Amino acid sequence: MKKFDREIMSNIKKPYIIVFGNEKGGTGKSTAAMHVMIYLLRLDFKVGCIDVDARQGTVSRYIENRIRYNQTNKERLPIPVHIALQKSDSDDVKKNEQDEKERFAQALSDLSDCDFIVIDTPGNDTYFSRIAHSYADTVITPLNDSFIDLDMLVRLNSNDPNNLRPSVYSEMIWEQKKNRLMRDKQPIDWIVMRNRLTNLYAKNKEEMHKILTALSKRVGYRLVTGFSERVIFRELFVQGLTLLDLQEVGIPLSMSHIAARQEIRAILNMLQLPHLQQKLETIG
C-alpha cells in the first residue's frame, strides 16, 4: 500500500460509498443517484454527494435546481452535502493525476461525518472515475435495455453468443476491485441495474434479461431491476424534485407516481445497504 493511500484511510472515517458508474451516457445514473440520496436523507441519514462529472454536471445541476426550488417556494426539502470536482487541466498528465487524487481525498475527508457518500461519474473513462470506483463499497451500473448498452459490459459475438469478452468498463471494474482489496482488504459489490424498462412485452426485453442473468456470474455482478421509463423523471429534474417529494410539495399522486415510488423502495431493498437494513429494522 502506498503511503498516500495509507494516510487517506487512516484519517477518514468510513461512510458507506455508493458509486454510480457506466462509461456510456444516457443511462439514468444521475436520476437514480438523486433518488437514492433523497431516500436516504428522508430516513435521517447524513448524505454527501461528490460529482466527478462536473463538466457535464447533471447531478450538480439537479441539486442546484433543488436549492432554487427551496428558496423560491420557501420549502425545506432535504439536500445532500455536495462537492463538485473539476478535472485538472495542465499539460502534465502525472501532475493532473496527483492533483485529482489529492482533491478527491480531500472531498472524502470533508464528507467523513456522513453515513453515505454517493458519487456520480461521467459517461467516459477519466482518472477521477477510476479513483471513485476504487473507493466504492457498492458500484451501481444503470443499463438501458439495449444491446448497445450491453456492449459496455461485454463484447458480444453475433456468430457465437458464447464467445464473450469483457468490455473495457468491465475490465476497469475488475482492476478497481483488485485495487480496493489490496488497499483496504474490502470487496466491491457491483450491481447492474436494468433501467428505463418498458411495461410492454418485447422479445428484446426478454433476451436482455436472459443474457444479463447468464452473464452475472461470469462477469461478477448482481442484477437488479431499476426504474421504468417515465416522462416525469425529466419533468422533476427542472425543479430539483424527486418522486419522494411530491406529497410534501402538494402535487397529487397518480397511480403512475405511486408505482414509481414503490420501484424506488424495491430498488433500495435490492441494494442491501448495511446501514439501510439496520435503519429499516429499527423503524419497522
Side-chain angles (χ1 to χ4, degrees):
M1 185 187 296
K2 296 179 181 178
K3 180 181 178 183
F4 183 81
D5 288 331
R6 284 200 302 269
E7 289 174 352
I8 291 175
M9 299 311 299
S10 64
N11 293 328
I12 295 174
K13 183 191 131 185
K14 291 295 294 173
Y16 196 90
I17 298 177
I18 305 168
V19 172
F20 282 83
N22 188 333
E23 289 179 10
K24 181 183 180 302
T27 59
K29 292 193 302 291
S30 300
T31 298
M34 192 70 178
H35 278 77
V36 166
M37 286 190 285
I38 301 307
Y39 185 92
L40 294 171
L41 283 166
R42 290 192 173 278
L43 287 175
D44 293 327
F45 289 113
K46 184 169 184 180
V47 180
C49 172
I50 302 176
D51 186 358
V52 297
D53 186 19
R55 179 178 174 83
Q56 180 166 341
T58 304
V59 80
S60 294
R61 293 203 313 279
Y62 208 140
I63 292 171
E64 289 169 6
N65 293 342
R66 190 173 181 86
I67 292 170
R68 189 178 304 112
Y69 184 92
N70 272 350
Q71 293 169 342
T72 302
N73 297 278
K74 295 182 171 53
E75 293 282 357
R76 299 186 64 182
L77 300 176
I79 297 173
V81 182
H82 174 243
I83 297 173
L85 297 176
Q86 296 283 351
K87 287 179 62 178
S88 303
D89 59 1
S90 80
D91 295 329
D92 187 328
V93 174
K94 290 295 183 184
K95 181 178 178 182
N96 288 344
E97 290 181 353
Q98 183 63 26
D99 177 61
E100 290 179 6
K101 181 184 286 188
E102 290 176 1
R103 287 191 290 121
F104 184 81
Q106 185 60 54
L108 289 184
S109 181
D110 291 344
L111 299 175
S112 63
D113 63 338
C114 292
D115 300 300
F116 291 92
I117 298 174
V118 176
I119 304 176
D120 195 27
T121 63
N124 61 312
D125 179 36
T126 68
Y127 189 68
F128 260 149
S129 181
R130 278 175 271 147
I131 295 172
H133 280 76
S134 80
Y135 279 92
D137 293 295
T138 292
V139 171
I140 301 173
T141 301
L143 191 76
N144 295 335
D145 256 25
S146 152
F147 284 99
I148 295 174
D149 281 42
L150 181 59
D151 196 57
M152 289 305 305
L153 286 182
V154 67
R155 298 292 189 243
L156 295 172
N157 187 329
S158 60
N159 297 320
D160 182 4
N162 294 315
N163 182 14
L164 305 173
R165 292 187 297 110
S167 70
V168 290
Y169 180 71
S170 293
E171 290 175 344
M172 188 275 283
I173 290 277
W174 274 106
E175 186 66 25
Q176 303 316 321
K177 281 186 172 184
K178 288 190 293 183
N179 289 339
R180 179 78 198 276
L181 279 172
M182 287 189 295
R183 187 186 61 228
D184 308 330
K185 303 295 186 291
Q186 294 292 326
I188 295 175
D189 182 20
W190 183 19
I191 295 171
V192 171
M193 186 171 77
R194 296 179 68 203
N195 212 26
R196 294 178 169 170
L197 300 168
T198 65
N199 292 318
L200 301 175
Y201 170 80
K203 185 176 181 180
N204 178 75
K205 184 177 178 180
E206 184 178 314
E207 285 298 310
M208 283 289 292
H209 177 72
K210 186 186 302 182
I211 292 171
L212 285 168
T213 301
L215 285 173
S216 61
K217 291 183 180 179
R218 294 181 61 177
V219 180
Y221 58 78
R222 289 197 292 123
L223 183 64
V224 305
T225 300
F227 297 103
S228 300
E229 179 63 43
R230 300 181 193 277
V231 175
I232 190 170
F233 286 122
R234 300 182 184 90
E235 296 172 344
L236 292 175
F237 167 79
V238 179
Q239 296 175 292
L241 299 177
T242 69
L243 287 161
L244 302 166
D245 303 311
L246 299 187
Q247 280 185 307
E248 185 172 340
V249 301
I251 297 176
L253 294 182
S254 67
M255 292 302 295
S256 176
H257 296 159
I258 294 170
R261 284 158 57 101
Q262 289 300 113
E263 284 179 356
I264 296 167
R265 295 189 179 96
I267 290 167
L268 266 293
N269 285 332
M270 287 185 285
L271 297 185
Q272 300 173 11
L273 304 176
H275 301 343
L276 177 61
Q277 295 303 117
Q278 294 166 10
K279 171 76 76 170
L280 293 177
E281 289 172 7
T282 300
I283 65 178

